[in-house]
Amino acid sequence: MTDVKYVFVTGGVTSSLGKGIISASLAKLLQARGYSVTIQKLDPYINVDPGTLNPYEHGECYVTLDGAETDLDLGHYERFLNVPTSQANNVTTGRIYQSVINKERKGDYLGKTVQVIPHITDEIKRRIKLVGSGDKFDIVITEIGGTVGDIESLPYIESVRQLKWELGTQNCIVIHLTLVPYLSSTGESKTKPTQHSVKELLETGIQPDLLVLRTERHLNTDIKRKVALFCNVEENAVIESVDVSTIYEVPIKMLEQGLDKTVLRKMGLPVEIEPPLTEWREFLSKLKNPKHNIKVGLVGKYVELPDAYKSIAESFIHSGAMNECQVDVVYIHSEEITENNVVERLKGLNGILVAPGFGSRGIDGKILTAKYARENNIPFFGICLGMQCAVIEFARDVLNLEGAHSTEINHKTKYPVIDLMEEQKSIIDKGGTMRLGGYKCVINKNSKTFDAYQKTEIVERHRHRYEFNNKYYDDFKNHGMIPVGINPESGLVEIIEIPEHKWFVGVQFHPEYSSTVINPHPLFVSFVKACIG
Ligand code: GLN
Protein backbone atom coordinates (compact mmCIF):
# COMPACT_ATOMS: atom_id res chain seq x y z
CA MET A 1 0.00 0.00 0.00
CA THR A 2 1.38 3.39 -0.98
CA ASP A 3 0.71 6.32 1.29
CA VAL A 4 -2.42 7.48 -0.49
CA LYS A 5 -4.66 9.41 1.86
CA TYR A 6 -8.37 8.74 2.03
CA VAL A 7 -11.03 11.27 2.95
CA PHE A 8 -14.60 10.09 3.47
CA VAL A 9 -17.57 12.40 3.26
CA THR A 10 -20.73 11.23 4.99
CA GLY A 11 -24.03 13.00 5.49
CA GLY A 12 -26.55 13.19 8.29
CA VAL A 13 -29.90 14.69 9.28
CA THR A 14 -31.30 14.94 5.73
CA SER A 15 -30.31 14.15 2.19
CA SER A 16 -29.53 16.81 -0.43
CA LEU A 17 -27.16 18.78 1.80
CA GLY A 18 -24.60 19.06 -0.95
CA LYS A 19 -22.03 16.38 -0.06
CA GLY A 20 -21.03 16.30 -3.71
CA ILE A 21 -20.31 20.02 -3.77
CA ILE A 22 -18.39 19.90 -0.48
CA SER A 23 -16.35 16.94 -1.77
CA ALA A 24 -15.68 18.72 -5.07
CA SER A 25 -14.78 21.97 -3.28
CA LEU A 26 -12.34 20.27 -0.95
CA ALA A 27 -10.82 18.43 -3.90
CA LYS A 28 -10.48 21.71 -5.78
CA LEU A 29 -8.60 23.32 -2.87
CA LEU A 30 -6.29 20.35 -2.44
CA GLN A 31 -5.67 20.28 -6.19
CA ALA A 32 -4.86 23.99 -6.11
CA ARG A 33 -2.25 23.20 -3.46
CA GLY A 34 -0.57 20.79 -5.86
CA TYR A 35 -2.04 17.46 -4.79
CA SER A 36 -3.51 15.09 -7.33
CA VAL A 37 -6.98 14.29 -6.14
CA THR A 38 -9.91 12.26 -7.33
CA ILE A 39 -13.40 11.80 -5.97
CA GLN A 40 -15.42 8.62 -5.81
CA LYS A 41 -19.11 8.22 -5.13
CA LEU A 42 -20.56 5.18 -3.41
CA ASP A 43 -24.28 4.86 -4.02
CA PRO A 44 -26.45 2.70 -1.76
CA TYR A 45 -29.01 1.56 -4.33
CA ILE A 46 -29.17 -1.86 -5.94
CA ASN A 47 -29.18 -0.81 -9.58
CA VAL A 48 -25.81 -1.80 -11.02
CA ASP A 49 -25.52 1.71 -12.39
CA PRO A 50 -27.93 4.63 -12.78
CA GLY A 51 -28.20 4.03 -16.54
CA THR A 52 -31.53 2.27 -16.18
CA LEU A 53 -32.97 4.88 -13.82
CA ASN A 54 -35.57 7.38 -14.88
CA PRO A 55 -34.12 10.90 -14.43
CA TYR A 56 -37.02 11.68 -12.07
CA GLU A 57 -35.40 9.29 -9.55
CA HIS A 58 -31.96 10.81 -8.97
CA GLY A 59 -31.60 13.38 -11.75
CA GLU A 60 -29.44 13.12 -14.82
CA CYS A 61 -27.34 10.10 -15.65
CA TYR A 62 -23.80 11.35 -16.18
CA VAL A 63 -21.51 9.61 -18.66
CA THR A 64 -17.73 9.37 -18.30
CA LEU A 65 -15.22 9.31 -21.12
CA ASP A 66 -14.68 5.58 -20.63
CA GLY A 67 -18.39 5.00 -21.12
CA ALA A 68 -19.68 4.51 -17.58
CA GLU A 69 -23.22 5.62 -16.79
CA THR A 70 -22.87 7.28 -13.41
CA ASP A 71 -24.36 9.44 -10.70
CA LEU A 72 -24.65 13.13 -11.51
CA ASP A 73 -22.23 14.03 -8.72
CA LEU A 74 -19.41 12.84 -10.96
CA GLY A 75 -20.38 15.74 -13.21
CA HIS A 76 -19.67 18.13 -10.34
CA TYR A 77 -16.33 16.44 -9.67
CA GLU A 78 -15.26 16.94 -13.29
CA ARG A 79 -16.61 20.48 -13.54
CA PHE A 80 -14.68 21.51 -10.41
CA LEU A 81 -11.46 19.56 -10.99
CA ASN A 82 -11.27 19.64 -14.78
CA VAL A 83 -10.00 16.05 -14.64
CA PRO A 84 -11.96 13.15 -16.17
CA THR A 85 -13.49 10.52 -13.91
CA SER A 86 -14.02 6.89 -14.86
CA GLN A 87 -16.06 3.79 -14.12
CA ALA A 88 -14.12 3.23 -10.89
CA ASN A 89 -15.32 6.59 -9.54
CA ASN A 90 -18.89 5.41 -9.11
CA VAL A 91 -19.82 2.24 -7.28
CA THR A 92 -23.31 1.11 -6.36
CA THR A 93 -24.48 -1.56 -3.93
CA GLY A 94 -25.76 -3.43 -6.98
CA ARG A 95 -22.29 -3.52 -8.50
CA ILE A 96 -20.74 -4.68 -5.20
CA TYR A 97 -23.24 -7.50 -4.81
CA GLN A 98 -22.93 -8.43 -8.48
CA SER A 99 -19.19 -8.99 -8.16
CA VAL A 100 -19.49 -10.85 -4.85
CA ILE A 101 -22.18 -13.12 -6.28
CA ASN A 102 -20.14 -13.72 -9.43
CA LYS A 103 -17.17 -14.72 -7.27
CA GLU A 104 -19.37 -17.03 -5.22
CA ARG A 105 -20.65 -18.74 -8.37
CA LYS A 106 -17.08 -19.22 -9.53
CA GLY A 107 -16.30 -20.90 -6.24
CA ASP A 108 -13.85 -18.25 -5.11
CA TYR A 109 -15.00 -18.35 -1.50
CA LEU A 110 -14.03 -21.98 -1.05
CA GLY A 111 -17.07 -23.27 0.79
CA LYS A 112 -17.44 -20.29 3.11
CA THR A 113 -20.76 -18.70 4.00
CA VAL A 114 -20.81 -15.43 2.05
CA GLN A 115 -21.83 -12.56 4.33
CA VAL A 116 -22.12 -8.79 4.48
CA ILE A 117 -19.12 -8.79 6.82
CA PRO A 118 -16.49 -9.60 5.62
CA HIS A 119 -17.35 -10.31 1.97
CA ILE A 120 -19.42 -7.29 1.03
CA THR A 121 -17.30 -4.93 3.12
CA ASP A 122 -14.11 -6.42 1.65
CA GLU A 123 -15.43 -5.78 -1.84
CA ILE A 124 -16.33 -2.20 -0.88
CA LYS A 125 -12.84 -1.62 0.53
CA ARG A 126 -11.29 -3.15 -2.58
CA ARG A 127 -13.23 -0.71 -4.77
CA ILE A 128 -12.18 2.24 -2.63
CA LYS A 129 -8.50 1.24 -2.69
CA LEU A 130 -8.67 0.52 -6.42
CA VAL A 131 -9.16 4.22 -7.10
CA GLY A 132 -6.09 5.01 -5.00
CA SER A 133 -3.91 2.33 -6.57
CA GLY A 134 -1.54 2.93 -9.45
CA ASP A 135 0.22 6.00 -8.04
CA LYS A 136 -2.11 8.36 -9.83
CA PHE A 137 -3.50 10.17 -6.83
CA ASP A 138 -2.18 11.54 -3.54
CA ILE A 139 -5.65 11.86 -2.07
CA VAL A 140 -8.88 10.00 -2.75
CA ILE A 141 -12.10 11.58 -1.54
CA THR A 142 -14.96 9.12 -1.26
CA GLU A 143 -18.47 10.43 -0.88
CA ILE A 144 -20.93 8.02 0.69
CA GLY A 145 -24.40 8.48 -0.78
CA GLY A 146 -27.48 8.50 1.45
CA THR A 147 -27.76 9.52 5.06
CA VAL A 148 -26.07 8.00 8.10
CA GLY A 149 -28.59 5.77 9.85
CA ASP A 150 -30.10 4.42 6.62
CA ILE A 151 -30.09 0.63 6.46
CA GLU A 152 -28.70 0.79 2.91
CA SER A 153 -25.54 2.69 3.72
CA LEU A 154 -24.52 0.59 6.74
CA PRO A 155 -22.06 -1.67 4.86
CA TYR A 156 -20.33 1.42 3.47
CA ILE A 157 -20.04 3.02 6.88
CA GLU A 158 -18.71 -0.23 8.35
CA SER A 159 -16.12 -0.37 5.56
CA VAL A 160 -14.98 3.14 6.43
CA ARG A 161 -14.62 2.12 10.07
CA GLN A 162 -12.50 -0.87 9.07
CA LEU A 163 -10.34 1.23 6.74
CA LYS A 164 -9.71 3.79 9.48
CA TRP A 165 -8.55 0.95 11.68
CA GLU A 166 -6.43 -0.67 8.94
CA LEU A 167 -4.80 2.42 7.49
CA GLY A 168 -4.53 4.53 10.62
CA THR A 169 -6.26 7.75 11.49
CA GLN A 170 -3.71 9.91 9.65
CA ASN A 171 -4.39 8.14 6.38
CA CYS A 172 -8.11 8.03 6.66
CA ILE A 173 -10.29 10.86 7.84
CA VAL A 174 -14.03 11.40 7.96
CA ILE A 175 -15.92 14.60 7.25
CA HIS A 176 -19.52 14.53 8.32
CA LEU A 177 -21.97 16.96 6.76
CA THR A 178 -25.13 17.85 8.67
CA LEU A 179 -27.87 20.42 8.74
CA VAL A 180 -28.27 23.16 11.33
CA PRO A 181 -31.84 24.35 10.92
CA TYR A 182 -32.89 27.89 11.77
CA LEU A 183 -36.09 28.35 13.78
CA SER A 184 -37.50 31.73 12.89
CA SER A 185 -40.02 31.70 15.75
CA THR A 186 -37.23 31.67 18.32
CA GLY A 187 -34.56 33.19 16.10
CA GLU A 188 -32.16 30.34 16.81
CA SER A 189 -30.00 27.91 14.87
CA LYS A 190 -30.42 24.46 16.35
CA THR A 191 -27.57 22.02 16.80
CA LYS A 192 -29.46 19.06 18.25
CA PRO A 193 -29.99 17.26 14.91
CA THR A 194 -26.22 17.47 14.35
CA GLN A 195 -25.49 16.07 17.81
CA HIS A 196 -27.86 13.18 17.15
CA SER A 197 -26.41 12.52 13.76
CA VAL A 198 -22.87 12.37 15.15
CA LYS A 199 -24.13 10.05 17.87
CA GLU A 200 -25.53 7.81 15.17
CA LEU A 201 -22.14 7.79 13.46
CA LEU A 202 -20.43 7.03 16.79
CA GLU A 203 -22.68 4.02 17.25
CA THR A 204 -21.16 2.58 14.09
CA GLY A 205 -17.70 3.12 15.53
CA ILE A 206 -16.75 6.28 13.67
CA GLN A 207 -15.69 9.51 15.30
CA PRO A 208 -15.84 12.18 12.57
CA ASP A 209 -12.71 14.33 12.24
CA LEU A 210 -14.45 17.35 10.78
CA LEU A 211 -18.01 18.58 10.70
CA VAL A 212 -19.45 20.70 7.94
CA LEU A 213 -22.69 22.35 8.98
CA ARG A 214 -25.08 23.30 6.24
CA THR A 215 -27.06 26.34 7.27
CA GLU A 216 -29.22 29.13 5.90
CA ARG A 217 -27.69 31.70 8.26
CA HIS A 218 -24.19 32.36 9.52
CA LEU A 219 -23.35 30.44 12.66
CA ASN A 220 -21.66 32.35 15.44
CA THR A 221 -18.60 31.13 17.31
CA ASP A 222 -20.68 30.03 20.28
CA ILE A 223 -22.69 27.63 18.17
CA LYS A 224 -19.60 26.21 16.49
CA ARG A 225 -17.91 25.81 19.86
CA LYS A 226 -20.98 24.05 21.23
CA VAL A 227 -21.02 21.63 18.31
CA ALA A 228 -17.28 21.03 18.71
CA LEU A 229 -17.67 20.28 22.42
CA PHE A 230 -20.69 18.01 22.14
CA CYS A 231 -19.46 16.19 19.05
CA ASN A 232 -15.90 15.81 20.25
CA VAL A 233 -14.11 17.56 17.39
CA GLU A 234 -11.62 20.42 17.37
CA GLU A 235 -13.07 23.91 17.18
CA ASN A 236 -11.42 24.68 13.87
CA ALA A 237 -12.75 21.43 12.50
CA VAL A 238 -16.29 22.79 12.61
CA ILE A 239 -16.96 24.49 9.31
CA GLU A 240 -20.13 26.20 8.23
CA SER A 241 -21.53 25.79 4.77
CA VAL A 242 -23.90 28.69 4.41
CA ASP A 243 -26.26 28.97 1.43
CA VAL A 244 -24.59 30.84 -1.43
CA SER A 245 -25.86 32.14 -4.75
CA THR A 246 -23.75 29.71 -6.81
CA ILE A 247 -22.19 26.35 -6.02
CA TYR A 248 -18.94 27.66 -7.50
CA GLU A 249 -18.53 29.96 -4.52
CA VAL A 250 -18.35 27.05 -2.10
CA PRO A 251 -14.59 26.39 -2.60
CA ILE A 252 -13.89 30.02 -1.69
CA LYS A 253 -16.07 29.77 1.43
CA MET A 254 -14.29 26.57 2.42
CA LEU A 255 -10.89 28.15 1.80
CA GLU A 256 -11.79 31.12 4.01
CA GLN A 257 -12.54 28.75 6.88
CA GLY A 258 -9.50 26.59 6.25
CA LEU A 259 -11.29 23.33 5.47
CA ASP A 260 -8.37 22.22 3.30
CA LYS A 261 -5.80 23.24 5.93
CA THR A 262 -7.51 21.32 8.69
CA VAL A 263 -7.81 18.26 6.45
CA LEU A 264 -4.11 18.40 5.51
CA ARG A 265 -3.04 18.90 9.09
CA LYS A 266 -5.09 15.94 10.25
CA MET A 267 -3.47 13.82 7.57
CA GLY A 268 0.00 14.97 8.55
CA LEU A 269 0.60 16.69 5.21
CA PRO A 270 2.36 20.04 4.88
CA VAL A 271 0.19 23.14 4.82
CA GLU A 272 2.30 25.61 2.93
CA ILE A 273 1.23 28.16 0.35
CA GLU A 274 -2.32 29.46 0.30
CA PRO A 275 -3.77 28.56 -3.12
CA PRO A 276 -4.58 31.77 -5.03
CA LEU A 277 -7.35 30.17 -7.16
CA THR A 278 -6.83 32.95 -9.69
CA GLU A 279 -8.70 31.41 -12.63
CA TRP A 280 -11.51 30.33 -10.37
CA ARG A 281 -11.93 33.81 -8.94
CA GLU A 282 -11.86 35.33 -12.42
CA PHE A 283 -14.63 32.97 -13.45
CA LEU A 284 -16.66 33.95 -10.39
CA SER A 285 -16.19 37.62 -11.03
CA LYS A 286 -17.38 37.26 -14.64
CA LEU A 287 -20.28 35.14 -13.48
CA LYS A 288 -21.38 37.78 -11.01
CA ASN A 289 -20.89 40.82 -13.24
CA PRO A 290 -22.53 39.97 -16.55
CA LYS A 291 -22.65 42.53 -19.33
CA HIS A 292 -25.34 40.73 -21.30
CA ASN A 293 -28.44 38.79 -20.46
CA ILE A 294 -30.15 36.15 -22.58
CA LYS A 295 -33.07 33.80 -22.23
CA VAL A 296 -32.58 30.30 -23.54
CA GLY A 297 -35.46 27.85 -23.74
CA LEU A 298 -34.60 24.32 -22.67
CA VAL A 299 -37.25 22.09 -24.19
CA GLY A 300 -37.44 18.68 -22.56
CA LYS A 301 -39.79 16.26 -20.91
CA TYR A 302 -38.24 16.10 -17.44
CA VAL A 303 -38.37 19.84 -16.77
CA GLU A 304 -40.22 19.48 -13.46
CA LEU A 305 -36.89 18.29 -12.06
CA PRO A 306 -34.09 20.61 -13.21
CA ASP A 307 -31.52 18.05 -11.92
CA ALA A 308 -32.53 15.95 -14.93
CA TYR A 309 -30.63 18.46 -17.06
CA LYS A 310 -27.89 19.29 -14.55
CA SER A 311 -24.92 19.20 -16.93
CA ILE A 312 -26.71 21.35 -19.51
CA ALA A 313 -27.59 23.96 -16.89
CA GLU A 314 -24.00 24.01 -15.60
CA SER A 315 -22.63 24.25 -19.16
CA PHE A 316 -24.68 27.43 -19.60
CA ILE A 317 -23.16 28.82 -16.41
CA HIS A 318 -19.60 28.15 -17.64
CA SER A 319 -20.19 29.37 -21.18
CA GLY A 320 -22.27 32.30 -19.97
CA ALA A 321 -19.46 33.50 -17.70
CA MET A 322 -16.96 33.18 -20.51
CA ASN A 323 -19.21 35.43 -22.62
CA GLU A 324 -19.85 37.74 -19.65
CA CYS A 325 -23.47 36.89 -20.09
CA GLN A 326 -26.16 35.84 -17.68
CA VAL A 327 -28.01 32.93 -19.24
CA ASP A 328 -31.53 32.50 -17.89
CA VAL A 329 -32.58 28.98 -18.72
CA VAL A 330 -36.34 28.76 -19.22
CA TYR A 331 -37.49 25.18 -18.74
CA ILE A 332 -40.26 24.34 -21.19
CA HIS A 333 -42.22 21.10 -21.14
CA SER A 334 -42.10 19.49 -24.58
CA GLU A 335 -45.40 17.71 -23.91
CA GLU A 336 -47.12 21.07 -23.59
CA ILE A 337 -46.03 22.42 -26.97
CA THR A 338 -48.63 22.07 -29.70
CA GLU A 339 -49.09 23.47 -33.18
CA ASN A 340 -51.52 26.00 -31.75
CA ASN A 341 -49.35 27.36 -28.97
CA VAL A 342 -45.78 26.90 -30.23
CA VAL A 343 -45.35 30.59 -31.11
CA GLU A 344 -46.83 31.68 -27.82
CA ARG A 345 -44.68 29.24 -25.82
CA LEU A 346 -41.39 30.00 -27.55
CA LYS A 347 -41.59 33.69 -28.31
CA GLY A 348 -39.09 36.07 -26.76
CA LEU A 349 -36.34 33.48 -26.41
CA ASN A 350 -32.85 34.34 -27.63
CA GLY A 351 -32.05 30.72 -28.28
CA ILE A 352 -33.51 27.25 -27.95
CA LEU A 353 -31.97 23.98 -26.85
CA VAL A 354 -33.81 20.73 -27.43
CA ALA A 355 -32.76 18.24 -24.79
CA PRO A 356 -31.70 14.60 -24.96
CA GLY A 357 -34.22 11.93 -24.06
CA PHE A 358 -35.74 8.55 -24.72
CA GLY A 359 -39.12 7.35 -25.90
CA SER A 360 -42.08 9.01 -27.50
CA ARG A 361 -43.43 11.21 -24.70
CA GLY A 362 -43.10 14.85 -25.69
CA ILE A 363 -41.46 14.11 -29.02
CA ASP A 364 -43.98 16.08 -31.11
CA GLY A 365 -43.31 19.20 -29.06
CA LYS A 366 -39.59 18.80 -29.67
CA ILE A 367 -40.11 18.43 -33.42
CA LEU A 368 -42.36 21.52 -33.49
CA THR A 369 -39.70 23.41 -31.53
CA ALA A 370 -36.99 22.54 -34.06
CA LYS A 371 -39.26 23.75 -36.86
CA TYR A 372 -40.00 27.01 -35.06
CA ALA A 373 -36.30 27.70 -34.45
CA ARG A 374 -35.36 26.83 -38.03
CA GLU A 375 -38.07 28.92 -39.66
CA ASN A 376 -37.57 31.91 -37.39
CA ASN A 377 -33.79 31.94 -37.54
CA ILE A 378 -33.47 31.52 -33.76
CA PRO A 379 -30.18 29.98 -32.55
CA PHE A 380 -30.87 26.28 -32.11
CA PHE A 381 -28.87 23.64 -30.30
CA GLY A 382 -30.09 20.05 -30.52
CA ILE A 383 -28.43 17.49 -28.28
CA CYS A 384 -28.76 13.77 -29.03
CA LEU A 385 -32.54 13.28 -29.26
CA GLY A 386 -32.66 17.05 -29.87
CA MET A 387 -30.53 16.64 -32.98
CA GLN A 388 -32.62 13.66 -34.07
CA CYS A 389 -35.78 15.79 -33.79
CA ALA A 390 -34.21 18.50 -35.96
CA VAL A 391 -33.38 15.86 -38.57
CA ILE A 392 -36.93 14.45 -38.48
CA GLU A 393 -38.44 17.91 -38.85
CA PHE A 394 -36.16 18.83 -41.75
CA ALA A 395 -37.00 15.54 -43.50
CA ARG A 396 -40.72 16.18 -43.19
CA ASP A 397 -40.83 19.89 -43.97
CA VAL A 398 -37.94 20.44 -46.36
CA LEU A 399 -37.31 17.06 -47.97
CA ASN A 400 -41.07 16.43 -48.10
CA LEU A 401 -40.70 12.96 -46.64
CA GLU A 402 -44.12 12.78 -45.05
CA GLY A 403 -44.21 10.87 -41.80
CA ALA A 404 -40.41 10.66 -41.59
CA HIS A 405 -39.46 9.55 -38.11
CA SER A 406 -37.03 7.79 -35.85
CA THR A 407 -37.65 4.05 -35.65
CA GLU A 408 -37.39 4.47 -31.87
CA ILE A 409 -40.80 6.18 -32.03
CA ASN A 410 -42.36 4.65 -35.12
CA HIS A 411 -40.68 1.49 -36.29
CA LYS A 412 -42.98 1.28 -39.31
CA THR A 413 -42.18 4.73 -40.70
CA LYS A 414 -41.72 4.89 -44.47
CA TYR A 415 -38.77 7.24 -44.01
CA PRO A 416 -36.58 6.09 -41.11
CA VAL A 417 -34.26 9.11 -41.14
CA ILE A 418 -33.13 8.13 -37.65
CA ASP A 419 -32.60 4.42 -37.27
CA LEU A 420 -31.18 1.88 -34.86
CA MET A 421 -27.43 1.47 -35.20
CA GLU A 422 -26.42 -1.78 -36.83
CA GLU A 423 -24.58 -3.08 -33.75
CA GLN A 424 -27.63 -2.32 -31.58
CA LYS A 425 -30.01 -4.54 -33.55
CA SER A 426 -29.24 -7.78 -31.74
CA ILE A 427 -29.08 -6.23 -28.25
CA ILE A 428 -31.91 -7.04 -25.85
CA ASP A 429 -30.56 -6.03 -22.41
CA LYS A 430 -31.15 -2.42 -21.41
CA GLY A 431 -28.35 -1.86 -18.87
CA GLY A 432 -25.04 -0.50 -20.18
CA THR A 433 -25.72 -1.51 -23.77
CA MET A 434 -25.96 1.83 -25.56
CA ARG A 435 -23.21 3.46 -27.58
CA LEU A 436 -21.47 4.92 -24.56
CA GLY A 437 -18.51 7.14 -23.85
CA GLY A 438 -15.92 8.88 -25.99
CA TYR A 439 -15.88 8.51 -29.77
CA LYS A 440 -13.87 10.42 -32.34
CA CYS A 441 -15.42 12.86 -34.74
CA VAL A 442 -13.83 14.67 -37.68
CA ILE A 443 -15.17 18.16 -38.33
CA ASN A 444 -15.59 19.86 -41.68
CA LYS A 445 -13.51 23.06 -41.65
CA ASN A 446 -16.26 25.02 -43.28
CA SER A 447 -18.68 24.99 -40.36
CA LYS A 448 -19.75 26.84 -37.25
CA THR A 449 -18.68 23.80 -35.27
CA PHE A 450 -15.13 24.16 -36.54
CA ASP A 451 -15.20 27.86 -35.73
CA ALA A 452 -16.16 26.90 -32.19
CA TYR A 453 -13.62 24.12 -31.59
CA GLN A 454 -10.83 25.51 -33.78
CA LYS A 455 -9.78 21.96 -34.57
CA THR A 456 -10.88 19.17 -36.87
CA GLU A 457 -10.55 16.18 -34.56
CA ILE A 458 -12.52 15.89 -31.37
CA VAL A 459 -13.62 13.19 -28.96
CA GLU A 460 -17.06 13.53 -27.40
CA ARG A 461 -19.20 11.38 -25.11
CA HIS A 462 -22.17 9.42 -26.35
CA ARG A 463 -25.25 7.77 -24.92
CA HIS A 464 -27.68 6.60 -27.56
CA ARG A 465 -28.91 3.67 -29.65
CA TYR A 466 -30.21 5.47 -32.72
CA GLU A 467 -28.33 7.42 -35.38
CA PHE A 468 -28.70 9.56 -38.46
CA ASN A 469 -29.56 7.20 -41.33
CA ASN A 470 -26.84 7.61 -43.97
CA LYS A 471 -29.23 6.45 -46.68
CA TYR A 472 -30.54 10.03 -46.65
CA TYR A 473 -27.13 11.70 -46.41
CA ASP A 474 -27.13 13.28 -49.88
CA ASP A 475 -30.74 14.32 -49.72
CA PHE A 476 -30.09 16.29 -46.52
CA LYS A 477 -26.86 17.74 -47.81
CA ASN A 478 -28.41 18.87 -51.08
CA HIS A 479 -31.23 20.63 -49.28
CA GLY A 480 -29.11 22.57 -46.80
CA MET A 481 -28.83 20.46 -43.67
CA ILE A 482 -25.18 19.50 -43.76
CA PRO A 483 -23.53 16.67 -41.86
CA VAL A 484 -20.39 18.49 -40.73
CA GLY A 485 -19.04 15.99 -38.21
CA ILE A 486 -18.43 12.32 -38.99
CA ASN A 487 -17.03 9.46 -36.97
CA PRO A 488 -13.91 8.45 -38.93
CA GLU A 489 -14.21 4.75 -38.07
CA SER A 490 -17.92 4.08 -38.56
CA GLY A 491 -18.98 6.92 -40.86
CA LEU A 492 -21.78 7.79 -38.40
CA VAL A 493 -23.03 11.36 -38.62
CA GLU A 494 -22.19 13.13 -35.37
CA ILE A 495 -23.03 16.77 -36.18
CA ILE A 496 -25.47 18.48 -38.51
CA GLU A 497 -25.73 22.18 -39.32
CA ILE A 498 -27.85 24.51 -41.43
CA PRO A 499 -25.30 27.01 -42.79
CA GLU A 500 -28.03 29.39 -44.00
CA HIS A 501 -29.30 29.74 -40.45
CA LYS A 502 -27.89 32.10 -37.82
CA TRP A 503 -26.79 29.16 -35.64
CA PHE A 504 -28.39 25.77 -36.08
CA VAL A 505 -26.32 22.89 -34.76
CA GLY A 506 -27.37 19.39 -33.79
CA VAL A 507 -25.00 16.94 -32.14
CA GLN A 508 -25.46 13.22 -31.64
CA PHE A 509 -23.09 13.33 -28.65
CA HIS A 510 -23.37 15.06 -25.28
CA PRO A 511 -21.16 18.15 -25.10
CA GLU A 512 -22.66 19.04 -21.71
CA TYR A 513 -20.76 16.22 -19.98
CA SER A 514 -17.38 17.74 -20.71
CA SER A 515 -17.94 21.41 -19.93
CA THR A 516 -15.95 22.58 -16.90
CA VAL A 517 -15.39 25.88 -15.10
CA ILE A 518 -11.89 26.19 -16.52
CA ASN A 519 -12.79 24.76 -19.94
CA PRO A 520 -16.34 25.71 -20.90
CA HIS A 521 -17.51 23.62 -23.83
CA PRO A 522 -16.77 25.37 -27.16
CA LEU A 523 -20.20 24.62 -28.63
CA PHE A 524 -21.97 26.10 -25.63
CA VAL A 525 -19.68 29.13 -25.77
CA SER A 526 -20.45 29.59 -29.47
CA PHE A 527 -24.20 29.03 -28.98
CA VAL A 528 -24.38 31.62 -26.19
CA LYS A 529 -22.45 34.06 -28.38
CA ALA A 530 -24.95 33.52 -31.18
CA CYS A 531 -27.84 34.07 -28.75
CA ILE A 532 -26.32 37.37 -27.61
CA GLY A 533 -26.38 38.30 -31.29
N1 GLN B 1 -33.29 8.05 -27.63
C1 GLN B 1 -32.26 8.43 -28.55
C2 GLN B 1 -31.32 7.28 -28.86
O1 GLN B 1 -31.25 6.34 -28.11
C3 GLN B 1 -31.50 9.63 -28.05
C4 GLN B 1 -30.73 9.37 -26.79
C5 GLN B 1 -30.33 10.62 -26.06
O2 GLN B 1 -30.88 11.69 -26.29
N2 GLN B 1 -29.39 10.49 -25.14
O3 GLN B 1 -30.65 7.34 -29.83
Side-chain angles (χ1 to χ4, degrees), residues 37-186:
V37 192
T38 191
I39 317 175
Q40 178 188 42
K41 171 94 189 263
L42 304 182
D43 274 311
Y45 50 74
I46 305 201
N47 303 64
V48 171
D49 63 41
T52 54
L53 287 171
N54 185 313
Y56 288 131
E57 297 281 312
H58 300 278
E60 150 191 292
C61 169
Y62 185 76
V63 178
T64 58
L65 202 54
D66 67 349
E69 296 178 286
T70 72
D71 183 78
L72 56 66
D73 271 327
L74 270 75
H76 290 308
Y77 309 161
E78 289 202 18
R79 290 188 279 271
F80 276 62
L81 292 183
N82 200 38
V83 175
T85 53
S86 71
Q87 176 70 75
N89 293 69
N90 192 195
V91 175
T92 68
T93 295
R95 196 170 285 273
I96 298 284
Y97 272 81
Q98 192 182 47
S99 37
V100 169
I101 291 169
N102 286 345
K103 280 186 201 160
E104 186 274 335
R105 292 288 82 186
K106 273 190 4 216
D108 286 1
Y109 295 113
L110 296 172
K112 288 272 177 225
T113 308
V114 181
Q115 291 174 297
V116 172
I117 301 170
H119 302 98
I120 294 296
T121 47
D122 278 354
E123 180 61 20
I124 293 172
K125 288 188 290 180
R126 190 183 72 79
R127 299 271 181 167
I128 294 168
K129 288 181 190 161
L130 191 67
V131 184
S133 67
D135 282 341
K136 262 180 30 208
F137 302 108
D138 305 315
I139 302 166
V140 175
I141 299 176
T142 297
E143 176 192 346
I144 316 254
T147 308
V148 167
D150 293 348
I151 292 174
E152 289 92 337
S153 44
L154 268 177
Y156 290 123
I157 304 288
E158 166 62 12
S159 305
V160 173
R161 186 196 65 78
Q162 292 183 16
L163 274 176
K164 237 174 160 357
W165 179 81
E166 276 170 35
L167 303 175
T169 40
Q170 274 216 334
N171 295 319
C172 203
I173 66 163
V174 175
I175 301 177
H176 189 54
L177 178 60
T178 70
L179 176 73
V180 174
Y182 177 78
L183 288 190
S184 51
S185 55
T186 55

Side-chain angles (χ1 to χ4, degrees), residues 354-359 363 366 383-388 406 408-409 418-421 424 434-435 462-467 507-510 512-513:
V354 174
F358 295 85
I363 196 94
K366 288 186 171 179
I383 298 184
C384 210
L385 183 64
M387 166 211 164
Q388 298 176 353
S406 161
E408 177 181 9
I409 318 296
I418 302 292
D419 199 7
L420 201 56
M421 281 179 275
Q424 287 286 334
M434 280 186 254
R435 183 180 187 225
H462 291 250
R463 183 172 188 249
H464 61 113
R465 294 198 165 85
Y466 294 81
E467 55 154 331
V507 291
Q508 187 56 77
F509 50 80
H510 291 265
E512 72 274 24
Y513 293 145

